[in-house]
């Protein structure tokens, strides 16, 4: 096995270039792979590798700030996993060069510096306190303005999805155990990753890190100019890990690779071809792929994030925390959802939200509404484009040698699974058409 050059410095983490992963009979025997640690306590704090920038998250949690967005080696480059947030000039497109002034990464800028101290105070007050968050730098007003307003358009659907899960499983924790399966050991995780990358033809292209320091299931980043995927050991479950890989690699990474070959790969190209934003298509598609082949493909996470954001826009932190108790009993989990919804705020006693996370359910429902007319392989091949632009762009696209996710090869099965998602989540065609008319 050949580790990534920086692997020796990644103490406590498994890290390797995909395609050069630990073999059961190789230089790192399976017996040396420790079992996954228990789920981190709610008060823990993640650590992110130096010289890196976070590009996407799979999972609902984020904990604390600290550290700069980049170090000596990392810089953001255009990636399909990046939410559609306007990036500073000098980082757009992220090709070569690096002379422009770098601005703080948005996800870092939005993490309160004092989140752990405020969490302690909140719990000591028995939840009757509204945290007062502090930030390393003022969050840009343009960003706050863009995500200040929450939508209630799909609240009824979000609540119905949440209730469907609770009616079947009683609690979310029971749902996780019943449908996610057992936690996997490091060797088992490497095996799943290796097999998946072989299916996608991505062997040797992406660095993978296994860590117990993330609350989210996964984080996609660029580190030392290489695509890097960090996976949370505590969230790597038997039946969910491949779905996470379909989300991060099969959707974000593959669409990003295809995007680099298109005439709209730069911001100027997007303007020239009058492209719509990549989101909500990007995250909606990735979220559908996360649950695509589950026996019970409930859209719990996207639904609860959507609902939480909408309620945050009307409630204080403490009132939001109390409201979520009807759906989530674990106080630590509720805290994380509330922090995520209230990030960017200083005084959380005031109503207000950061609405970016509504993009998941929004994108899911739009894609399901139009799934019979969307050319999904073409949507992947054209790169970071909206489903609304596909038909118009196909005559301009560079399609030779475009990568198509392996799970789209059997398109009949793929479409049946989308139908199954609609049924499982108690959606219906008439409702979607009324919500999202042509």
């Amino acid at each position: 096995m050949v580790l990534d050059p920086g692997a020796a410095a990644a103490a406590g983490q498994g890290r390797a270039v995909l395609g050069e992963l630990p073999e059961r009979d190789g230089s790192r025997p399976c017996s040396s792979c420790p079992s996954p640690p228990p789920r981190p306590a709610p008060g823990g704090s993640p650590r992110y590798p130096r010289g890196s920038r976070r590009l996407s998250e799979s999972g609902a949690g984020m904990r604390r700030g600290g550290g700069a967005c980049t170090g000596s080696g990392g810089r953001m480059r255009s990636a399909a996993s990046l939410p559609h947030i306007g990036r500073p000039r000098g980082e757009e497109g992220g090709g070569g060069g690096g002379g422009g002034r770098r601005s703080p990464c948005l996800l870092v800028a939005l993490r309160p510096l004092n989140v752990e101290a405020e969490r302690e105070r909140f719990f000591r007050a028995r939840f009757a306190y509204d945290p007062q968050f502090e930030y390393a730098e003022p969050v840009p007003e343009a960003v706050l303005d863009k995500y200040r307003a929450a939508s209630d358009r799909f609240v009824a659907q979000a609540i119905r999805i949440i209730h469907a899960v609770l009616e079947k499983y009683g609690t979310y924790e029971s749902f996780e155990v019943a449908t996610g399966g057992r936690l996997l050991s490091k060797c088992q995780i490497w095996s799943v990753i290796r097999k998946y990358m072989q299916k996608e033809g991505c062997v040797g292209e992406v660095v993978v890190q296994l860590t117990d320091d993330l609350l989210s299931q996964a984080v996609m980043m660029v580190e030392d100019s290489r695509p890097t995927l960090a996976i949370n050991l505590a969230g790597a479950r038997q039946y969910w890990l491949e779905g996470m890989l379909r989300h991060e690699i099969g959707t974000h990474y593959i669409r990003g690779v295809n995007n680099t070959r298109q005439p709209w790969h730069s911001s100027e190209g997007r303007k020239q071809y009058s492209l719509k934003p990549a989101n909500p298509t990007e995250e909606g598609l990735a979220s559908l792929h996360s649950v695509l082949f589950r026996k019970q493909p409930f859209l719990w996470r996207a639904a609860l994030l959507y609902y939480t954001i909408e309620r945050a826009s009307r409630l204080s932190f403490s009132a939001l925390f109390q409201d979520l108790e009807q759906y989530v009993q674990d106080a630590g989990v509720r805290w994380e959802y509330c922090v995520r919804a209230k990030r960017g705020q200083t005084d959380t006693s005031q109503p207000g939200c950061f609405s970016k996370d509504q993009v998941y359910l929004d994108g899911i429902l739009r894609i399901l509404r139009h799934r019979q007319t969307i050319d999904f392989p073409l949507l992947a091949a054209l790169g970071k484009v909206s489903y609304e632009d596909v038909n118009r762009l196909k005559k301009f696209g560079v399609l030779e040698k475009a990568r198509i996710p392996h799970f789209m090869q059997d398109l009949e099965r793929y479409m049946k699974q989308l139908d199954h998602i609609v049924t499982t989540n108690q959606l219906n065609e008439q409702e979607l058409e009324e919500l999202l008319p042509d």
Side-chain angles (χ1 to χ4, degrees):
M1 179 190 72
V2 181
L3 287 175
D4 185 65
Q13 295 183 347
R15 177 178 178 182
V17 179
L18 295 180
E20 302 169 347
L21 303 178
E23 300 286 349
R24 291 183 183 274
D25 57 349
S27 59
R28 181 179 292 178
C30 193
S31 60
S32 70
C33 295
S35 297
R39 184 177 296 280
S45 58
R47 295 186 293 274
Y48 302 101
R50 288 184 178 181
S52 66
R53 289 195 179 208
R54 299 172 61 185
L55 299 183
S56 75
E57 304 173 273
S58 294
M62 71 90 175
R63 294 212 172 173
R64 64 173 293 179
C69 229
T70 61
S72 57
R75 73 182 297 275
M76 181 178 288
R77 60 170 60 179
S78 180
S81 54
L82 185 67
H84 189 77
I85 298 171
R87 283 165 291 177
R89 241 176 249 176
E91 292 183 356
E92 192 77 54
R101 183 182 67 86
R102 292 175 181 168
S103 297
C105 173
L106 178 65
L107 292 174
V108 170
L110 287 170
R111 289 200 296 271
L113 288 174
N114 62 335
V115 67
E116 296 302 326
E118 288 300 280
R119 183 188 186 281
E120 243 181 77
R121 188 172 178 181
F122 178 77
F123 277 78
R124 277 202 313 267
R126 298 184 179 183
F127 319 138
Y129 166 71
D130 292 303
Q132 304 295 300
F133 289 136
E134 299 171 0
Y135 301 89
E137 296 185 25
V139 181
E141 279 300 318
V143 172
L144 293 179
D145 287 343
K146 183 173 183 178
Y147 295 104
R148 196 182 303 277
S151 171
D152 62 359
R153 188 174 191 177
F154 306 122
V155 166
Q157 289 70 36
I159 292 173
R160 192 187 313 148
I161 292 166
I162 294 167
H163 284 172
V165 172
L166 298 180
E167 285 169 10
K168 186 172 181 64
Y169 296 97
T171 65
Y172 172 71
E173 290 75 15
S174 298
F175 163 69
E176 184 180 63
V177 172
T179 65
R182 69 180 185 278
L183 290 170
L184 300 177
S185 70
K186 284 186 177 180
C187 286
Q188 290 169 328
I189 294 170
W190 286 129
S191 178
V192 172
I193 295 170
R194 179 173 58 251
K195 290 175 183 176
Y196 185 85
M197 292 301 174
Q198 288 170 347
K199 291 177 185 176
E200 298 295 10
C202 295
V203 172
E205 295 180 6
V206 180
V207 177
V208 172
Q209 299 171 351
L210 303 185
T211 176
D212 57 6
D213 290 331
L214 297 176
L215 179 63
S216 55
Q217 294 174 1
V219 175
M220 197 76 181
M221 68 188 96
V222 171
E223 185 178 16
D224 298 327
S225 300
R226 294 206 65 175
T228 301
L229 175 63
I231 296 175
N232 187 353
L233 286 167
R237 290 188 173 271
Q238 181 181 8
Y239 304 124
W240 288 2
L241 180 56
E242 184 158 339
M244 183 276 293
L245 295 171
R246 286 194 299 270
H247 181 120
E248 298 291 351
I249 303 298
T251 310
H252 292 323
Y253 178 70
I254 285 181
R255 273 171 50 101
V257 169
N258 288 336
N259 194 74
T260 62
R261 307 177 69 244
Q262 305 303 334
W264 47 80
H265 70 274
S266 65
S267 59
E268 292 78 12
R270 295 187 74 86
K271 291 175 185 175
Q272 179 184 344
Y273 286 88
S274 302
L275 264 62
K276 295 181 183 295
N279 270 322
T281 295
E282 182 72 32
E283 291 297 352
L285 188 64
S287 297
L288 285 169
H289 292 163
S290 292
V291 303
L292 190 63
F293 296 116
R294 292 183 189 176
K295 291 181 181 178
Q296 299 293 333
F298 284 107
L299 298 163
W300 166 275
R301 173 180 168 268
L304 188 57
L305 282 171
Y306 192 96
Y307 173 85
T308 302
I309 296 295
E310 194 278 333
R311 298 302 291 156
S313 70
R314 303 169 184 267
L315 300 174
S316 68
F317 190 105
S318 56
L320 175 64
F321 186 88
Q322 183 177 356
D323 182 85
L324 289 183
E325 188 175 12
Q326 62 185 311
Y327 301 133
V328 180
Q329 286 70 51
D330 188 302
V333 173
R334 268 186 285 151
W335 163 265
E336 301 297 346
Y337 272 92
C338 291
V339 171
R340 193 173 179 97
K342 289 288 188 178
R343 55 185 168 171
Q345 275 191 287
T346 301
D347 179 7
T348 67
S349 68
Q350 301 301 311
C353 68
F354 188 76
S355 66
K356 183 181 75 70
D357 286 336
Q358 288 193 320
V359 72
Y360 300 104
L361 187 62
D362 186 305
I364 285 168
L365 296 180
R366 291 177 190 277
I367 290 172
L368 292 177
R369 158 69 175 90
H370 295 284
R371 68 189 186 282
Q372 302 299 342
T373 58
I374 294 173
D375 185 331
F376 285 97
L378 191 57
L379 181 59
L382 291 174
K384 290 179 60 178
V385 302
S386 167
Y387 73 87
E388 297 172 271
D389 286 334
V390 167
N391 290 336
R392 180 173 62 83
L393 293 176
K394 60 184 176 182
K395 62 183 177 182
F396 304 112
V398 179
L399 302 179
E400 186 180 357
K401 298 182 180 178
R403 297 189 183 187
I404 307 299
H406 79 279
F407 49 84
M408 283 186 186
Q409 303 298 330
D410 185 344
L411 199 55
E412 182 179 356
R413 184 189 181 209
Y414 180 88
M415 297 301 293
K416 284 181 179 178
Q417 290 304 122
L418 294 184
D419 292 341
H420 183 40
I421 291 172
V422 169
T423 303
T424 300
N425 289 277
Q426 300 182 6
L427 303 169
N428 63 73
E429 302 303 330
Q430 182 179 347
E431 176 185 36
L432 290 173
E433 289 174 8
E434 290 173 356
L435 279 171
L436 298 161
D438 288 324

